[in-house]
């Protein structure tokens, strides 16, 4: 497909203008938070154990910083997916997060303001001319406090070109022996032990040195079951949990078989099963290898929003309850595939002090599978406490 026939002109009319948002019907519940950290492989007791949380500086359960994305009806992609691109598919391309020091707690009501930002078209080896589109999501609580802003990037491309690029040689899951899995469990638990060791203590900015390497985080192997667990942790996957806006994915250019009725507010009252993205619509490729191959993925694959959450949790877990992620940037290069393991690493690249006295640690982070194939990379700034005196 030639670049000039890849028509993105319809996007222009939406840029810089707020679009309609869907809203959660009820306040956040403690079990919603527990379900989230369970699905995201984040065993930080601050977010699921009431006894541990009661002894923390927060005196009770709080949601992890990654939880904001669970409150949206489209993984944060909605403002990065406006305008018609005929016969197209969509994948996540990355996220940039700006976090304020506002915690989400059970009982909070979260709303989202969405504003399309910009887009560019580039030639890619994956699908020829490809639109990289960005949009902002501003998450706010019932007090009007801004929790975070997410600038999401989507990759919109020709459905025909994406399907034709599928690497069928990678269609089978890797095989893990019993010994491999036993060794993997020990490796995974090392990071969990690091969370326990830090506990309620401070990680002091003073004790961090440029060149320090964060403890690696390993989880997986991923499976259709683990991806389904992730999907069910998002409010949008629960019938009636969100008052959905009306949208027409086919009118936006999604192919008919991938558009369907996902999150349709009218159809959910008639036949909710066909509104469920696990079975029908643009999300079904994640859990159905046949449909995954139609959009260019060799087998079942994970969610971009989950990858972004893994990054936030990895960094926030290292920072501890006295620290927080202030800013993160991640470019997604490839998804988690069934049978693969995810390995996260990070290195401290700088230490700075902001004008307001906030002490920051700068890191570069990386996410790869067991073969070393990079899934995501980027940078982040983490606020840590400074020792008194």
């Amino acid at each position: 497909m030639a670049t000039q026939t890849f028509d993105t002109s319809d996007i222009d009319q939406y840029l810089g203008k707020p679009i309609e948002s869907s809203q959660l019907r009820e306040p956040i519940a403690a079990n919603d938070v527990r379900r989230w950290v369970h699905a995201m492989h984040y065993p930080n007791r601050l977010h699921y154990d009431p006894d541990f949380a009661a002894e923390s500086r927060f005196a009770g359960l709080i949601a992890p910083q990654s939880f904001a994305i669970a409150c949206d009806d489209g993984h944060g992609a909605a403002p990065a997916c406006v305008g018609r691109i005929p016969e197209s598919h969509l994948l996540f391309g990355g996220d940039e997060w700006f976090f304020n020091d506002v915690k989400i707690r059970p009982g909070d009501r979260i709303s989202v303001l969405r504003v399309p930002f910009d887009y560019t078209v580039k030639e890619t080896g994956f699908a020829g001319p490809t639109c990289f589109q960005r949009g902002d999501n501003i998450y706010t609580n019932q007090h009007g406090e801004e929790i975070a802003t997410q600038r999401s990037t989507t990759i919109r491309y020709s459905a025909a070109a994406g399907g034709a690029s599928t690497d069928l040689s990678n269609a089978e899951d890797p095989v893990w022996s019993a010994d491999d899995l036993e060794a993997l469990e020990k490796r995974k638990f090392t990071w969990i032990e690091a969370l326990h060791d830090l506990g309620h203590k401070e990680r002091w900015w003073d004790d961090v040195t440029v060149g320090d390497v964060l403890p690696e985080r390993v989880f997986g192997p991923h499976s259709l079951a683990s991806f389904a667990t992730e999907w069910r942790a998002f409010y949008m996957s629960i019938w009636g949990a969100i008052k959905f806006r009306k949208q027409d994915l086919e009118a936006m250019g999604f192919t008919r078989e991938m558009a369907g009725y996902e999150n349709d507010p009218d159809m959910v009252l008639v036949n909710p099963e066909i509104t469920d993205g696990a079975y029908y619509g643009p999300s079904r490729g994640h859990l159905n290898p046949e449909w995954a191959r139609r959009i260019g993925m060799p087998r079942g694959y994970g969610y971009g929003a989950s990858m972004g959450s893994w990054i936030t949790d990895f960094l926030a877990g290292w920072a501890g309850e006295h620290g927080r992620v202030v800013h993160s940037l991640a470019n997604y290069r490839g998804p988690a595939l069934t049978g693969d393991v995810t390995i996260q690493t990070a290195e401290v690249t700088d230490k700075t002090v902001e004008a307001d006295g906030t002490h920051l640690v700068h890191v570069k982070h990386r996410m790869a599978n067991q073969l070393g194939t990079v899934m995501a990379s980027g940078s982040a700034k983490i606020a840590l406490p400074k020792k008194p005196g």
Side-chain angles (χ1 to χ4, degrees):
M1 180 182 288
T3 302
Q4 60 267 27
T5 67
F6 190 73
D7 186 5
T8 59
S9 60
D10 191 50
I11 298 175
D12 295 331
Q13 64 178 307
Y14 297 98
L15 299 181
K17 304 172 185 176
I19 62 173
E20 186 179 4
S21 296
S22 302
Q23 298 297 330
L24 286 173
R25 294 185 188 274
E26 285 92 29
I28 305 301
N31 278 347
D32 298 332
V33 175
R34 292 187 177 103
R35 183 180 296 111
W36 179 255
V37 294
H38 180 177
M40 295 299 124
H41 318 276
Y42 186 34
N44 187 332
R45 293 172 62 194
L46 186 62
H47 310 304
Y48 71 92
D49 178 359
D51 295 329
F52 181 87
E55 297 171 351
S56 74
R57 61 188 291 252
F58 306 109
L61 285 175
I62 63 166
Q65 290 185 253
S66 64
F67 186 78
I69 190 65
C71 304
D72 185 62
D73 76 344
H75 289 196
C81 181
V82 295
R84 176 177 173 80
I85 301 179
E87 295 297 303
S88 61
H89 287 324
L90 178 148
L91 292 170
F92 281 80
D95 273 321
E96 184 171 14
W97 283 90
F98 304 86
F99 291 102
N100 296 318
D101 193 11
V102 178
K103 308 303 180 187
I104 298 177
R105 299 172 181 266
D108 283 352
R109 289 183 174 272
I110 309 302
S111 59
V112 187
L113 173 65
R114 300 157 158 172
V115 184
F117 185 65
D118 66 4
Y119 72 96
T120 185
V121 177
K122 299 179 181 179
E123 193 75 17
T124 68
F126 170 64
T130 301
C131 178
F132 294 83
Q133 188 172 352
R134 297 193 295 176
D136 291 346
N137 303 272
I138 303 169
Y139 298 88
T140 306
N141 65 18
Q142 70 275 16
H143 304 298
E145 298 171 314
E146 289 188 9
I147 300 161
T149 296
Q150 173 197 19
R151 177 160 291 171
S152 183
T153 299
T154 63
I155 302 172
R156 302 179 69 183
Y157 57 97
S158 159
S165 71
T166 304
D167 180 9
L168 296 179
S169 68
N170 199 22
E172 298 297 324
D173 285 8
V175 176
W176 296 83
S177 70
D179 289 343
D180 290 337
L181 292 174
E182 182 178 356
L184 185 62
E185 287 303 320
K186 292 179 181 177
R187 189 176 174 190
K188 290 160 63 174
F189 188 62
T190 299
W191 188 74
I192 298 173
E193 283 186 307
L195 294 179
H196 296 327
D197 291 343
L198 183 59
H200 296 302
K201 299 190 297 292
E202 294 90 346
R203 185 177 301 282
W204 298 111
W205 179 86
D206 314 65
D207 296 336
V208 177
T209 302
V210 173
D212 283 354
V213 175
L214 276 61
E216 73 166 8
R217 181 192 185 197
V218 181
F219 53 96
H222 303 286
S223 65
L224 295 182
S226 70
F227 292 153
T229 300
E230 292 171 28
W231 176 255
R232 293 301 175 206
F234 288 89
Y235 284 107
M236 65 182 178
S237 72
I238 304 170
W239 296 349
I242 290 180
K243 185 177 181 180
F244 286 116
R245 65 192 175 111
K246 185 72 175 179
Q247 57 182 336
D248 187 343
L249 295 177
E250 195 170 1
M252 293 172 60
F254 282 67
T255 59
R256 177 59 194 150
E257 69 273 13
M258 293 300 286
Y261 292 96
E262 186 171 328
N263 296 346
D264 186 284
D266 300 321
M267 184 57 71
V268 76
L269 304 178
V270 178
N271 184 0
E273 285 220 341
I274 65 173
T275 71
D276 192 313
Y279 313 130
Y280 303 99
S283 297
R284 64 174 155 182
H286 293 284
L287 302 178
N288 187 316
E290 176 189 350
W291 287 98
R293 288 189 277 274
R294 294 196 188 193
I295 66 168
M297 295 293 110
R299 55 188 193 267
Y301 66 104
Y303 303 91
S306 295
M307 288 175 63
S309 298
W310 299 342
I311 291 166
T312 302
D313 293 341
F314 172 51
L315 302 174
W318 175 80
E321 69 180 61
H322 298 271
R324 63 186 177 90
V325 180
V326 173
H327 173 259
S328 68
L329 176 65
N331 297 309
Y332 304 150
R333 302 185 185 180
L337 298 173
T338 54
D340 283 352
V341 165
T342 291
I343 304 165
Q344 292 182 265
T345 55
E347 179 182 347
V348 177
T349 59
D350 198 7
K351 294 173 62 178
T352 59
V353 181
E354 298 290 277
D356 64 0
T358 303
H359 287 69
L360 297 179
V361 169
H362 302 240
V363 302
K364 61 179 181 181
H365 60 81
R366 184 175 184 267
M367 181 185 296
N369 67 14
Q370 71 279 1
L371 300 176
T373 303
V374 177
M375 300 158 57
S377 61
S379 60
K381 298 176 184 178
I382 304 166
L384 292 180
K386 186 175 186 327
K387 289 180 178 179

